[in-house]
Amino acid sequence: MRKRAEEILEMVDKTAEEFKALGEIAGGDIHIGCAESEGIRHLARRIKGLQEQHPGIRVHLYSGDTNDLAGRLEQGLLDFAVIAQEVDLRKYNYLELPWADTWGVVMRKDDPLSEKKSIGTGDLLGRPLIVSRQGLRGDLPRLLGEKADRLNVTATINLTYNGTLLVREGMGYLLTFDKLADTGERSELYFRPLSPRLETKLYFIWKKYQVFSPVAEVLLSEMRDHYSTLE
């Protein structure tokens, strides 16, 4: 009940912000839910361009998996969402962003698997795996088929950074998108892509028949000018 009350208050605040923005495109608030993805930089570029034209625009980003973000969209708490999953065309209009995330495994540099250039499905079986809840439900069954039921999932996450902390402590192997974990020269972690290659596309979505505030309409127009749409 407390969570629901907080969501209602948040929705009331959002509505008040939208009315305040009416008639003054120079400012206003846009609420966007985002999957964890390097591809969010495409959205960031569009927002930066808008803020250069309209310095009063404020953007509020919320991180989460597709289920979390879809729920917030349905409740009116978000104007848009960027999801890493096929779009439910019954509910949403969308733009396809020019980005596909590559799945792979983050492991310690002292792990024997780090010597491989890519990780096959057989390499995963029997090993302790750390997986996002969304990946466990959707992407991994698509890659592994019936073998997905044989995975030894010892932890689930919704933030990659937290998963890397578990890897550093020797708790297992993190299945995640490329470029989300720090695997630079000074890091103690490596990323190795899965084989066969598994990619997930990125989509900018909004509810069908959604009535937007003026400032949200400006962002939507900017996104439509740059990315392909199927509505």
Side-chain angles (χ1 to χ4, degrees):
M1 291 294 293
R2 180 179 179 181
K3 181 179 179 182
R4 178 58 181 161
E6 291 175 348
E7 289 175 344
I8 292 173
L9 287 173
E10 189 173 352
M11 185 164 56
V12 170
D13 289 342
K14 178 177 179 292
T15 303
E17 290 168 357
E18 290 175 351
F19 275 110
K20 185 178 179 181
L22 288 173
E24 49 179 77
I25 301 298
D29 295 85
I30 308 173
H31 299 255
I32 308 172
C34 295
E36 272 196 301
S37 170
E38 173 75 8
I40 296 298
R41 60 189 172 87
H42 291 284
L43 173 64
R45 288 172 185 167
R46 306 283 75 84
I47 293 172
K48 181 176 183 293
L50 283 183
Q51 289 183 329
E52 288 174 349
Q53 300 174 50
H54 310 289
I57 289 178
R58 292 181 299 180
V59 176
H60 308 276
L61 300 185
Y62 302 84
S63 297
D65 65 18
T66 298
N67 283 346
D68 296 333
L69 302 181
R72 295 182 74 88
L73 267 179
E74 290 300 321
Q75 295 166 35
L77 300 175
L78 298 175
D79 298 302
F80 309 101
V82 180
I83 62 171
Q85 186 171 309
E86 293 294 325
V87 181
D88 184 349
L89 294 178
R90 296 169 301 175
K91 295 183 177 181
Y92 306 110
N93 294 325
Y94 74 92
L95 302 171
E96 183 176 328
L97 300 183
W99 183 265
D101 286 291
T102 300
W103 281 90
V105 183
V106 174
M107 65 196 75
R108 289 166 53 117
K109 285 184 176 178
D110 59 3
D111 190 280
L113 276 186
S114 67
E115 298 178 4
K116 298 173 69 73
K117 292 184 177 180
S118 61
I119 304 300
T121 56
D123 296 320
L124 300 176
L125 300 180
R127 298 182 185 274
L129 302 178
I130 303 159
V131 187
S132 72
R133 286 181 278 279
Q134 180 171 321
L136 187 61
R137 292 191 304 265
D139 294 276
L140 297 181
R142 179 159 56 92
L143 171 70
L144 300 175
E146 295 180 356
K147 290 182 180 180
D149 294 333
R150 296 163 53 192
L151 294 178
N152 179 27
V153 177
T154 58
T156 62
I157 60 166
N158 65 346
L159 292 174
T160 295
Y161 177 75
N162 289 338
T164 64
L165 297 180
L166 302 184
V167 175
R168 287 190 175 96
E169 294 302 317
M171 288 183 58
Y173 303 80
L174 173 62
L175 292 172
T176 186
F177 292 158
D178 193 9
K179 302 183 185 301
L180 293 185
D182 177 11
T183 56
E185 196 172 307
R186 297 184 179 181
S187 172
E188 58 192 284
L189 303 177
Y190 272 145
F191 175 90
R192 294 291 182 263
L194 292 178
S195 178
R197 190 178 182 89
L198 177 64
E199 293 184 334
T200 299
K201 291 183 178 180
L202 206 61
Y203 301 93
F204 180 83
I205 69 172
W206 62 97
K207 285 198 304 182
K208 289 189 173 181
Y209 316 113
Q210 173 76 7
V211 177
F212 291 112
S213 67
V215 67
E217 282 281 8
V218 171
L219 175 60
L220 180 56
S221 177
E222 177 75 7
M223 295 294 289
R224 279 175 163 153
D225 286 345
H226 287 84
Y227 306 116
S228 59
T229 180
L230 288 173
E231 299 182 25

